[in-house]
Amino acid sequence: MTRGIFIAGNESAISRAVEAETLRRVERFSVALIPNRFAGTPKNTAVTNEKRIALDWNPSSPISARTLVLAAENRMDHIDEALLICSPPSIRSSAAELPLADIEIMINDHIKGWFFLVKELASIFSSRQRGTLALVYSDISGSSGSKDDAQDILGPSSLASFRALTHGLLAAAHREQYVTAGFSSSDTGNEAAFAAFIFKNIDETTKRTNGKLHKFGKFSFFK
C-alpha cells in the first residue's frame, strides 16, 4: 500500500521542490494550493501530472478545510503524511498604502487557514492514532531589496504566526499518538536539498524524535 502524501501551501520554490521529491517516492499524491488573490502579483501556475491530484481549497473557510481533508482521503484512500508549507508572497507597501483587501487576504488565507487545516488533520490522525504532520517554513528574516524599497510588512507577519503555531504543536507532540515534525531552512536557492532533507528526516522519525524542529542550512549535516 503506497504512502498517502498530502501537500498544502502557496506556490513557491519550496513547494515545487517538495512536490518534485514526492514524485520520486509515491505513485500519486494530493496538493492544495492557496489561491493567489493579491492584486499585482503573478497568479498560481497550473501544473499537470498524472501523479498529482490537485484539490480546491478556500483557506478562509473552516468548512473548506474539512472538505479538503475528506477529499484528499477519498482520492488517496488515506493520508499518512501531511506537509504544510508556509512561504507567503511578498507584498511590498508602506503601512499607509497597504491595500485593505490584501490585509484581509493575508490574515484569512495565510494565517487563519493554517489553524483550520491543522485542526482537521490533527482530528483524523488522532482518531487513527498514527500519521505525520510536518510543518515547513523558511527561516530567513527580513526581505531583499535596497533600503529605499518598500518593505514587506504582511508576509513576515504571516510567517511569524506559522512559526509560532509550529512551535506550539511541537511542544505538545509528546501528548499525541501521531508524529509532529518541524522543518526550517535558512538557505535560499537550495530547495531541492531541503526537500530531500525533509523526507529523510520524516522517514527516520521515531517516538524519541517526535516534536523535533529540524533545521536546514549551510552548516547542516545531512544525517
Side-chain angles (χ1 to χ4, degrees):
M1 183 170 61
T2 187
R3 294 156 67 177
I5 298 179
F6 168 72
I7 301 168
N10 58 294
E11 186 179 2
S12 65
I14 296 177
S15 67
R16 289 190 293 270
V18 168
E19 285 197 40
E21 187 65 28
T22 304
L23 275 171
R24 301 186 182 98
R25 296 169 177 268
V26 295
E27 296 176 0
R28 58 179 181 167
F29 64 97
S30 58
V31 179
L33 290 180
I34 298 173
N36 187 350
R37 300 187 291 178
F38 293 104
T41 59
K43 302 307 176 185
N44 292 343
T45 304
V47 177
T48 57
N49 188 293
E50 60 182 8
K51 292 186 176 183
R52 184 184 192 268
I53 303 169
L55 300 173
D56 293 329
W57 179 27
N58 176 8
S60 65
S61 166
I63 296 174
S64 180
R66 179 171 299 178
T67 303
L68 171 62
V69 172
L70 291 174
E73 285 206 296
N74 289 336
R75 295 293 297 275
M76 298 190 300
D77 296 328
H78 50 84
I79 299 174
D80 297 303
E81 297 159 17
L83 287 81
L84 311 187
I85 305 169
C86 180
S87 182
S90 177
I91 309 297
R92 294 183 178 276
S93 173
S94 66
E97 296 176 347
L98 273 175
L100 295 179
D102 284 357
I103 295 173
E104 255 195 305
I105 290 169
M106 187 66 79
I107 292 172
N108 287 333
D109 291 2
H110 296 267
I111 296 180
K112 284 169 57 178
W114 291 123
F115 287 88
F116 294 148
L117 186 55
V118 163
K119 170 182 167 47
E120 296 302 327
L121 290 167
S123 294
I124 65 165
F125 288 160
S126 294
S127 63
R128 194 179 301 151
Q129 297 192 342
R130 63 181 176 84
T132 298
L133 178 63
L135 300 110
V136 182
Y137 61 90
S138 173
D139 204 21
I140 299 171
S141 60
S143 55
S144 59
S146 72
K147 65 179 181 179
D148 296 324
D149 291 337
Q151 292 300 303
D152 178 13
I153 300 173
L154 295 178
S157 299
S158 168
L159 185 59
S161 173
F162 188 87
R163 188 186 296 115
L165 172 61
T166 298
H167 283 271
L169 292 170
L170 294 177
H174 68 282
R175 295 195 296 267
E176 306 294 348
Q177 295 299 312
Y178 59 88
V179 170
T180 306
F183 298 92
S184 68
S185 173
S186 58
D187 191 2
T188 59
N190 204 10
E191 287 80 13
F194 181 38
F197 172 84
I198 291 169
F199 277 103
K200 180 178 186 294
N201 281 283
I202 288 176
D203 292 343
E204 296 176 354
T205 296
T206 63
K207 286 188 176 181
R208 186 176 62 84
T209 56
N210 187 14
K212 181 177 179 180
L213 176 63
H214 304 270
K215 297 184 178 182
F216 177 84
K218 294 179 180 178
F219 300 105
S220 297
F221 292 96
F222 211 80
K223 297 181 179 179

